[in-house]
Amino acid sequence: MSVSATPKISHRRGKAQYFIERLSEDVSLDMVLIPSGNFLMGSPPEELDRFDDESPQHQVSISTFFLGKYAITQEQYQAVMGNNPSEFKDEVDSSDHPVENVSWDDVTEFCHRLSKLTSKEYRLPSEAKWEYACRAGTTTPFHFGETISTELANYQGTDEKIGDTLYKGNYGRGSLGIYRNKTTPVGSFKVANAFGLFDMHGNVWEWCADNWHSNYEVIPDSKDWVEGGDKESHPLRGGSWLNYPPHCRSACRFSNDPASRYDHIGFRVACSARGLL
């Protein structure tokens, strides 16, 4: 049964600076400028359905960088890597769906090849940079506000009972929605955050550069958090088409080993602002 209360969803207009990277004659990549700033990383103790690995909250300073406007698509991956490993490539036209079924090893190799192709410094974002870019100045569970809707993002918006546990398709006072059971084309929801980024909640989990750390007791910064932690596991952010709303929150973290490939895991790339401003 859906919840009747009106969800608190915010809509803000903004202007984004970006540059276009040509990957081939027909394929390009939009990179959005993420301005420098400070933010509170992690979730507060009172946030609904939060996890312990999102603690403690801490201030982080971020320097200016560029981040992909969208997750890397199947055609972009094909243009750089020469193959398309996606499970959802049998659609009528899946070229603008996010590439998935890619491992951390695969996507770091993509960044290496893209850097060589363009003579720019491409890499995966750190967790801190990813969360800062996702929040875009907000402190709520989602950059939309206090809740989320399947009209704004691709995730499992229906209830499911597994054993004795009910997994809810709505978050807080938000309503139930639909379960698409697959990826959707990048940018298809037409709702960007204040930095001009699309699909930061849902669609595909996005790999980050850091080693996995089980909490924030040792405070990270905007650089890749590769000191200590689990070198055989790397963070994922944003949730996916397969996940329930709590996993799509700005602060939510997950991890997997670098060789894992699943149809709900993709990535977006970051680029140094050095020499571009």
Side-chain angles (χ1 to χ4, degrees), residues 155-230:
Y155 62 93
Q156 183 161 344
T158 56
D159 288 346
E160 183 178 14
K161 190 170 185 179
I162 302 176
D164 294 329
T165 303
L166 176 65
Y167 295 92
K168 299 173 66 176
N170 68 294
Y171 185 84
R173 296 170 59 192
S175 298
L176 292 172
I178 62 175
Y179 181 30
R180 297 177 176 89
N181 203 34
K182 62 181 180 180
T183 59
T184 48
V186 299
S188 58
F189 293 96
K190 310 297 183 186
V191 181
N193 70 8
F195 286 161
L197 302 172
F198 289 80
D199 307 318
M200 297 299 284
H201 302 299
N203 216 12
V204 288
W205 285 101
E206 298 181 7
W207 285 111
C208 291
D210 320 50
N211 293 338
W212 174 251
H213 292 72
S214 60
N215 55 52
Y216 297 138
E217 294 295 339
V218 179
I219 298 175
D221 58 23
S222 62
K223 298 177 183 178
D224 298 346
W225 197 17
V226 296
E227 297 82 9
D230 183 356

